[in-house]
Amino acid sequence: MGNAQTVKLLTPINGDIMPLSAVADPVFSAGMMGLGFGIKPSNGTVVAPVTGTVTMVAETKHAIGFTTPDNNLEVLVHLGIDTVDLKGAPFKLNVAAGDTVQAGDSIATMDLAAVEAGNKQTTVIVAVTNSSDKLAELDPVTGTLEAGQVAATGRLNANTYNAKRQGKLPKAGKYDQLAADIVENVGGVENINSLIHCITRLRFYLKDESKANDDIVRDLKGVIDVAKAGGQYQVVIGPAVTDVYDAVIKQIGPEFSNDAETAKVVAETNAASKRPKTAWGTVKWGFSNLIGVITGSMIPVIGLLAASGILKGILAVLITFKFVSDTAPTYVIINAMSDSVFYFLPIFVGFTAGKKLGADPVIMGIVGGVLTYPSIVALAGGKATSTILGMGVNADFFGLPVHVASYTYSIFPMIAAAWLASKLEPWLKRVIPAVLRMIFVPLIEVVVISGAILLFLGPIITVLSTALANGIVAIYNLSPAISGLIIGGFYQVLVIFGLHWAIIPIVANDIATTGHSYLNAIVSATMVAQGGAVLAIALKSKLANIQELAWPATISAFCGVTEPAMYGINLKYGRAFVTASIGAAVGGLLTGLMRVNMWGFTGSLIGFTSFINPKGSDFSFWGFWIASIVTIIVSFTLTWMFGFKDEDAAAVKVAPKKRHLGQAA
């Protein structure tokens, strides 16, 4: 039993064994490619680390993948670091995809001198790419070994071991064939610059999109559709996108998921894109790119936001109808479940924005952690001792007075941080020697980027927020109807840039001092409008990937959380956000005209009890329903008629292209 549960990996080359964490490549050292080990080689003969089938050979010969027959481990041998740039010159392979090998068989030779002459590291890496599914542990040995000796011993996890013992081990490589077909029909590895993915799509950056066979890719079993947008060739997969992405990376090599490479490709794509010649066209082009970055950074967490929004709505109902007290441990636990994704949103957005813009996502996650660190949050909530340019000074940095803002629930500062990092990181990697990068690149990035946000961007946001807050108060004092129209129409725009927090203190102060807030009632109408627009899309669209996002986003918006509706659907497709904002303006106008008041924080439809006057029901309750119903009708109708059609999300239809020689029909 114990032997059947044990896994052994041989070193594929003579040399010194090192733990994976010591490998000078962030993709491998962070464990993104699975458990494994590295070898500092002393000669160039390469042998198979396991018995199995060769399932992948990179066209640049620097990576070879194997699948074992007894437990379906997927083992990758990676020859050198960043050696994809050497175009296969230092390597000679003895095997091809489909070959069967025995552990210890000679499979390749590696010219170590040629690798070093190309200014690349010779470190050989062995990784079990599906170790998260298969292995409970993998322990490398230490010291110097000869090729073919046991370098690591591991143990199968309970699920894999039991399935193997019962003869029910699933077949390996479920998506390998689909991955191979996709790679072939986007023009092959030589046509790929890099690959990322969101929650439904593979997003290729291709050297020449005309080499891709759209019709063939679209007709592959497992592919929903093909789309082209923002310099990306997008293959719509659906819920299995992560598995297909892993299979594609296994085929083409992990270098194509490298963050630095992604940054370079994004920069090249942006530079190559045709910029409009007119000033207004340039503004629209820049705003469109900004919206693309924002929505692209938010898409991976939209599902979490929607789920949390629904949970917030359920909690609000429990509190409203006295099933749970807001001081009870039950409330605290459920509130933590519903609020954590929002409270720590800078960490998640930092990671996703880093991947989108080409910065190291792990480092960006750490920067997000700095912004949400309890001590920083405490500083942000501290009492101001003085003011500078209208900002409350609540801290000092080396004796210099500064304003520390609150960044929980925010997204825009982290997108700005990722953009700064995408510029800083390539420069750091050019000037810092390779042997020092692992420590000093993260060190400098965290210090510089965190400092830039806390000491510069934060105060700028505070100045803008204060100016907006003063303007909103002035408008509201002038006319509730006009303020309802303006705030209703533009409030969700403020949400995009994180400037809506200027209004929150006003609302909080109103409720704390008077027990109610007319302003919060207008804000509630904007939430209803976003829900009405995304509801129209959910009912109108025939695309499964749109419906998968639109329905939970609708529920979340009506529960008072609009981010999934905005970032997942409405803002992404442009016109829907405009039609939703028009509906919000109408709802805000009616709310102001009818002087609808609100006695709680929870808005949208789920917050209907917040519109009941504790001293006795008045017209505010009915005014809320009138304004909300009209808002839904307006935003729903405008979105249905003008805001969205499936062609916005579907692939760009093009005429069939002539196939290249050697391509499959």
Side-chain angles (χ1 to χ4, degrees), residues 340-474:
S340 62
V341 66
F342 295 96
Y343 189 89
F344 297 109
L345 195 57
I347 297 175
F348 307 130
V349 173
F351 188 90
T352 56
K355 294 186 71 173
K356 174 73 177 178
L357 292 171
D360 188 313
V362 175
I363 295 176
M364 287 300 96
I366 296 300
V367 172
V370 172
L371 301 189
T372 56
Y373 194 73
S375 299
I376 299 296
V377 175
L379 281 178
K383 184 177 180 180
T385 57
S386 60
T387 59
I388 297 179
L389 300 175
M391 298 180 297
V393 175
N394 53 9
D396 69 88
F397 187 73
F398 285 107
L400 297 175
V402 295
H403 171 82
V404 178
S406 175
Y407 296 99
T408 57
Y409 296 79
S410 66
I411 66 164
F412 193 69
M414 284 310 305
I415 292 175
W419 180 82
L420 289 172
S422 72
K423 304 301 180 184
L424 175 64
E425 192 172 300
W427 180 79
L428 290 175
K429 289 183 176 179
R430 285 197 302 270
V431 301
I432 297 177
V435 294
L436 301 177
R437 287 176 192 167
M438 181 179 294
I439 296 176
F440 286 98
V441 169
L443 171 63
I444 295 173
E445 272 196 70
V446 169
V447 171
V448 172
I449 303 301
S450 299
I453 300 299
L454 290 170
L455 302 178
F456 298 103
L457 184 60
I460 290 172
I461 290 177
T462 298
V463 170
L464 293 174
S465 297
T466 301
L468 280 170
N470 293 336
I472 289 168
V473 170

Side-chain angles (χ1 to χ4, degrees), residues 17-18 20 78 98 140 190 224 274 334 346 381 387 422 514 560 622:
I17 309 300
M18 66 178 73
L20 203 57
H78 195 277
E190 66 276 7
I224 297 173
K274 187 176 180 180
I334 298 177
T387 59
S422 72
T514 68
W622 301 109

Side-chain angles (χ1 to χ4, degrees), residues 142-214:
T142 57
T144 302
L145 297 180
E146 294 183 1
Q149 291 184 313
V150 176
T153 303
R155 182 169 54 85
L156 296 174
N157 61 31
N159 290 338
T160 302
Y161 173 65
N162 290 331
K164 176 182 175 181
R165 186 177 59 178
Q166 297 166 13
K168 297 179 180 179
L169 197 66
K171 292 183 179 180
K174 178 179 179 181
Y175 297 101
D176 285 351
Q177 187 58 52
L178 174 59
D181 291 340
I182 291 174
V183 170
E184 177 183 358
N185 289 290
V186 298
V189 178
E190 66 276 7
N191 193 40
I192 300 173
N193 272 323
S194 68
L195 172 64
I196 59 176
H197 74 86
C198 59
I199 63 173
T200 59
R201 304 179 182 206
L202 299 177
R203 296 172 177 248
F204 288 93
Y205 289 94
L206 300 180
K207 296 175 182 177
D208 184 355
E209 283 192 357
S210 67
K211 292 183 178 180
N213 283 310
D214 298 358

Side-chain angles (χ1 to χ4, degrees), residues 115 153 187 417 558 617:
V115 173
T153 303
F558 288 147
S617 182

